[in-house]
Amino acid sequence: MKDNIYGNIPCFLGAENLVKKGEYDTDVIFYGAPFEGESTWGDYTGVELGPKQIRSSSARYSGYLPELDHVDVTEHLTFGDAGDVPFVAHDNEQSYQNIEDFSAELWKTGKFLVGFGGEHGVTYPILKSLADSGKTVGIIHLDAHYDNMPDYEGEQYARNTPFMRLYETEGVRNESIIHTGIHGPRNKPDTGRYAKENGAVTITINDIREAKDLRAYAKEIYDMAAKDVDVVYLSICSDVLDFAYNPGGPVDGNGLTSYELLTMIHEFGKHGLIGMDYVEVYPMMDANQHSAHFVSYAVLYVLAGHLKHLGKI
């Protein structure tokens, strides 16, 4: 119990408890951003429980991937869990500031960071802190939706606004923001227009499906994100997956399969990422926690690619 990150919750994938240790000295650092502000659809809520369930579900898994040349990620990388950012209920601005301050300290380590949401709004303060450190940032944004509205009922810090805030952030190159996997009628006409007006690139689900070579197309997407920037960051919203593969996420059809998503993010990892996040897992909507379990797969596939990038395998 003393090694748990809090309560009865284990560290992600058996990572070392860095809160207890007091040092950020592992190759990979996991952390949670359990923030939820206004719900943009009825009572579809509970996303702040995502980091807790993602960690609990990860206890089932090792780092071994026989389908990827029998790599065991944990043989080559050390894992640490830095705990969770404090969430201030009913104060989105303060919660965002907490995320920005927390992630700024982690970016100083130069380690590979993996954040767990929480809603997609958490990506903005995470990347603002990276850009403020002096890095020019490109972003591969995997999502069904643009999440680039100016506000939600007057609130600038909401789950459907982070990419509008990132368009406005100095140090983020808008032309290297690649909205990838976009699909479905939960998008609004304005969102596609906002992306175009701000110079961001749209890759739809059909663009991905019609690519003859998925791995080669992933390299093309990566190259667009990497153009004229110092670093590339990966942000994954659960609903880029079809709801058949994402029962604990928003209800969106015609999305990626788990194979398509894992293949693409493994390729992104091979070409060089500074970090990633995985957001919008709703444990209260998923009796068997399939979506939370899948996060372990996604992280390990990225890290297996990262090992190739580092030349360790």
Side-chain angles (χ1 to χ4, degrees):
M1 293 292 289
K2 291 183 179 179
D3 290 330
N4 289 344
I5 197 68
Y6 53 83
N8 65 343
I9 304 303
C11 294
F12 183 72
L13 287 174
E16 188 174 8
N17 187 333
L18 301 183
V19 178
K20 177 181 176 182
K21 187 177 185 180
E23 295 181 63
Y24 296 142
D25 59 354
T26 53
D27 299 321
V28 181
I29 300 176
F30 307 117
Y31 67 100
F35 168 75
E36 178 165 52
E38 289 73 15
S39 175
T40 55
W41 176 250
D43 63 353
Y44 211 87
T45 186
V47 73
E48 79 278 6
L49 300 175
K52 178 178 180 179
Q53 189 58 57
I54 288 166
R55 286 187 174 100
S56 293
S57 299
S58 77
R60 182 175 175 82
Y61 303 105
S62 71
Y64 174 55
L65 298 169
E67 68 273 32
L68 295 181
D69 297 325
H70 297 274
V71 65
D72 183 348
V73 176
T74 60
E75 285 186 1
H76 306 279
L77 294 171
T78 56
F79 292 171
D81 194 323
D84 282 354
V85 181
F87 165 37
V88 183
H90 309 298
D91 192 338
N92 295 11
E93 187 171 0
Q94 184 60 59
S95 291
Y96 271 47
Q97 188 63 55
N98 289 353
I99 297 168
E100 184 178 337
D101 294 344
F102 189 98
S103 56
E105 290 303 308
L106 296 183
W107 287 124
K108 290 177 184 177
T109 68
K111 309 298 186 179
F112 191 97
L113 304 190
V114 180
F116 304 123
E119 63 175 57
H120 212 155
V122 306
T123 300
Y124 164 62
I126 291 168
L127 288 180
K128 183 176 184 298
S129 68
L130 178 60
D132 286 350
S133 75
K135 301 289 187 183
T136 305
V137 183
I139 310 166
I140 302 173
H141 168 214
L142 283 160
D143 203 325
H145 315 108
Y146 285 99
D147 288 351
N148 65 355
M149 291 294 288
D151 63 82
Y152 177 71
E153 296 183 354
E155 175 58 68
Q156 290 192 327
Y157 303 127
R159 72 191 71 199
N160 62 347
T161 68
F163 284 86
M164 181 58 77
R165 302 286 82 78
L166 287 166
Y167 296 159
E168 300 163 349
T169 299
E170 186 176 354
V172 174
R173 183 177 185 269
N174 289 358
E175 295 80 4
S176 294
I177 297 176
I178 317 301
H179 297 293
T180 306
I182 303 298
H183 63 275
R186 286 211 299 125
N187 289 287
K188 296 181 178 181
D190 287 349
T191 57
R193 177 169 57 82
Y194 292 145
K196 186 174 182 179
E197 289 174 350
N198 285 280
V201 176
T202 299
I203 305 291
T204 71
I205 187 68
N206 285 354
D207 294 326
I208 294 170
R209 289 273 164 73
E210 292 166 12
K212 294 180 180 179
D213 183 329
L214 186 57
R215 290 182 176 86
Y217 195 50
K219 174 63 164 59
E220 291 181 31
I221 294 169
Y222 178 87
D223 288 345
M224 287 188 281
K227 183 176 174 59
D228 295 331
V229 299
D230 299 319
V231 295
V232 176
Y233 183 85
L234 174 63
S235 182
I236 305 173
C237 182
S238 72
D239 61 32
V240 75
L241 290 165
D242 188 274
F243 54 62
Y245 300 90
N246 186 41
V251 182
D252 290 280
N254 193 33
L256 293 176
T257 67
S258 57
Y259 169 79
E260 289 169 333
L261 177 58
L262 292 175
T263 298
M264 292 177 71
I265 63 179
H266 179 56
E267 292 301 308
F268 299 150
K270 285 165 59 175
H271 299 302
L273 299 170
I274 194 170
M276 66 173 288
D277 60 50
Y278 198 110
V279 302
E280 309 239 351
V281 170
Y282 292 79
M284 292 171 65
M285 306 296 178
D286 189 1
N288 293 312
Q289 304 305 333
H290 291 162
S291 295
H293 277 272
F294 183 76
V295 177
S296 292
Y297 283 74
V299 171
L300 287 169
Y301 265 70
V302 171
L303 293 178
H306 183 59
L307 284 173
K308 285 200 174 272
H309 174 70
L310 295 174
K312 292 190 174 185
I313 58 173

